């Protein structure tokens, strides 16, 4: 059991590392292709990767179609709703404002997990989650960002995207008892592959731009970015997320998402030569402290002797 927890934490850190780096590769990809085409190509590569591994018998998936209907609500939340509402929301809301909104996902997830899964978090964990969220918001606010509410429609779409990711996290925690992580990943990527490719083709056909759909593939930077986004940022992260949720609670898993902000800052400094300011360091320290606290303060006592935080297993 303890080895499983260690693997879950290593997986969560790896997941945050890949997601943090994915922002850089997404920026590169969308300069050559539309956001919708990028998603279509991304999930095509991801689904082809897992399908190839299955065909080569590197991994095994028990494909029983009659049972996969149970996963449909999950795939509607993620990747369908999450990426769709995110893409449309970002058309009218700056990415800096979106970063503040997405920082609240651990709080939303904790509330949803408490309501639907009856997961309990200690006072120490609740404080740690808020510290982590504040760390992200602090970084964005020090950059001069704020949520202006100038575009209510865009903010609403992004909030639905946040709710979708939190809903996916909570629902996966429930479904992981009936499906293996790889089975969930296979179905998720398959739905993403179908949905975004159909949406992309319909858009190109209606705009009569089908001939330009594959033009970005002549650019090596785009190809490398899509391979990273498809294989690592879609297939590997989906598999890691589903595995992690089989070992730790939804709230513990979700707070790791804020670690991607720290990774993005470091990656920006190393790869893009972006300057790191003192507020980056302070915010990152708060994020890391919040992540550590959320995962290791579940048994800490905050009350007088003889009483303690509920220790019901997660």
């Amino acid at each position: 059991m303890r080895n499983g927890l260690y693997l879950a934490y290593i997986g969560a850190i790896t997941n945050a590392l890949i997601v943090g780096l994915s922002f850089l590769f997404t920026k590169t990809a969308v300069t050559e292709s539309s956001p919708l085409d990028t998603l279509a190509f991304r999930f095509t590569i991801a689904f082809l990767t897992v399908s190839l591994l299955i065909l080569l018998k590197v991994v095994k998936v028990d494909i029983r179609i009659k049972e996969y209907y149970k996963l449909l609500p999950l795939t509607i939340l993620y990747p369908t709703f999450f990426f769709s509402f995110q893409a449309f929301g970002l058309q009218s809301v700056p990415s800096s404002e979106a970063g503040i909104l997405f920082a609240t996902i651990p709080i939303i997830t904790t509330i949803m997990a408490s309501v639907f899964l009856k997961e309990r978090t200690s006072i120490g964990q609740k404080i740690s989650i808020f510290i982590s969220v504040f760390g992200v918001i602090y970084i964005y606010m020090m950059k001069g960002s704020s949520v202006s509410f100038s575009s209510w429609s865009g903010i609403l779409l992004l909030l639905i995207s946040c709710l979708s990711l939190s809903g996916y996290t909570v629902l996966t925690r429930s479904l992981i008892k009936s499906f293996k992580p790889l089975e969930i990943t296979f179905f998720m990527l398959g739905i993403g592959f179908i949905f975004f490719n159909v949406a992309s083709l319909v858009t190109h056909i209606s705009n009569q731009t089908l001939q330009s759909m594959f033009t970005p593939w002549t650019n090596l930077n785009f190809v490398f970015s899509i391979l990273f986004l498809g294989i690592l940022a879609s297939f590997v992260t989906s598999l890691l997320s589903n595995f992690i949720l089989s070992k730790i609670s939804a709230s513990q898993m979700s707070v790791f998402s804020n670690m991607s902000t720290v990774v993005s800052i470091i990656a920006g400094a190393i790869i893009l030569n972006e300057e790191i300011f003192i507020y980056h360091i302070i915010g990152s320290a708060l994020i890391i402290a919040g992540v550590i606290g959320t995962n290791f303060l579940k048994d800490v006592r905050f009350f007088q002797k003889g009483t303690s935080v509920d220790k019901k297993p997660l």
Side-chain angles (χ1 to χ4, degrees):
M1 179 63 180
R2 188 163 294 276
N3 287 337
L5 283 176
Y6 289 148
L7 288 174
Y9 291 137
I10 292 172
I13 294 171
T14 303
N15 191 64
L17 178 63
I18 295 172
V19 172
L21 290 173
S22 70
F23 295 128
L24 296 176
F25 290 100
T26 300
K27 286 181 180 180
T28 301
V30 296
T31 58
E32 300 293 332
S33 181
S34 70
L36 185 57
D37 285 351
T38 298
L39 285 170
F41 294 139
R42 172 178 180 167
F43 279 93
T44 297
I45 294 297
F47 186 64
L48 289 177
T49 299
V50 68
S51 298
L52 182 61
L53 291 175
I54 293 171
L55 288 173
L56 295 176
K57 297 184 179 180
V58 176
V59 296
K60 183 179 180 181
V61 172
D62 185 9
I63 305 175
R64 293 169 293 179
I65 302 300
K66 63 180 181 180
E67 293 188 8
Y68 276 134
Y69 73 91
K70 297 178 182 178
L71 295 175
L72 281 174
L74 182 71
T75 59
I76 290 174
L77 292 172
Y78 185 93
T80 310
F81 274 12
F82 173 72
F83 283 110
S84 298
F85 284 109
Q86 182 189 71
F88 285 108
L90 286 172
Q91 289 182 345
S92 55
V93 176
S95 58
S96 56
E97 293 184 22
I100 295 176
L101 293 172
F102 281 109
T104 64
I105 288 176
I107 295 176
I108 298 173
T109 303
T110 300
I111 294 172
M112 293 179 69
S114 174
V115 173
F116 296 106
L117 300 178
K118 307 304 178 184
E119 287 186 357
R120 300 191 180 185
T121 52
S122 69
I123 297 298
Q125 286 179 301
K126 289 183 176 70
I127 293 174
S128 297
I129 290 170
F130 276 101
I131 288 174
S132 176
V133 171
F134 177 74
V136 178
I137 295 175
Y138 172 76
I139 290 172
Y140 279 105
M141 291 184 69
M142 289 301 293
K143 287 182 178 180
S145 305
S146 63
V147 181
S148 64
F149 296 101
S150 58
S151 175
W152 283 99
S153 59
I155 289 174
L156 179 61
L157 291 175
L158 290 177
L159 285 175
I160 295 175
S161 181
C162 292
L163 287 169
S164 298
L165 185 58
S166 294
Y168 151 75
T169 304
V170 171
L171 190 55
T172 299
R173 181 73 172 153
S174 175
L175 290 171
I176 203 68
K177 299 174 184 177
S178 304
F179 295 90
K180 295 178 181 178
L182 187 59
E183 291 173 341
I184 297 176
T185 300
F186 173 74
F187 194 70
M188 284 171 49
L189 297 179
I191 294 297
F193 164 71
I194 295 171
F195 178 82
F196 291 115
N197 273 283
V198 169
S200 179
L201 286 171
V202 169
T203 301
H204 278 290
I205 291 172
S206 62
N207 293 333
Q208 297 182 341
T209 56
L210 190 59
Q211 69 279 1
S212 64
M213 182 177 179
F214 295 96
T215 302
W217 284 91
T218 59
N219 186 300
L220 288 179
N221 287 331
F222 175 82
V223 173
F224 184 75
S225 297
I226 287 297
L227 290 175
F228 179 92
L229 293 172
I231 298 173
L232 291 177
S234 295
F235 168 53
V236 174
T237 57
S238 294
L239 183 59
L240 283 174
S241 296
N242 295 327
F243 167 73
I244 294 162
L245 286 167
S246 71
K247 302 297 180 182
I248 63 177
S249 70
S251 57
Q252 288 175 291
M253 163 63 185
S254 65
V255 77
F256 273 99
S257 63
N258 286 341
M259 283 288 292
S260 61
T261 300
V262 180
V263 176
S264 295
I265 292 171
I266 297 173
I270 296 175
I271 300 174
L272 302 179
N273 294 318
E274 294 178 347
E275 189 172 357
I276 292 182
F277 297 97
I278 186 64
Y279 65 81
H280 287 129
I281 298 173
I282 295 174
S284 296
L286 290 171
I287 293 169
I288 295 171
V291 171
I292 293 173
T294 303
N295 285 276
F296 295 101
L297 291 183
K298 57 175 177 287
D299 295 325
V300 174
R301 299 183 179 188
F302 283 85
F303 306 103
Q304 59 184 4
K305 188 175 182 179
T307 62
S308 64
V309 177
D310 191 343
K311 297 183 181 180
K312 182 180 178 180
L314 295 176

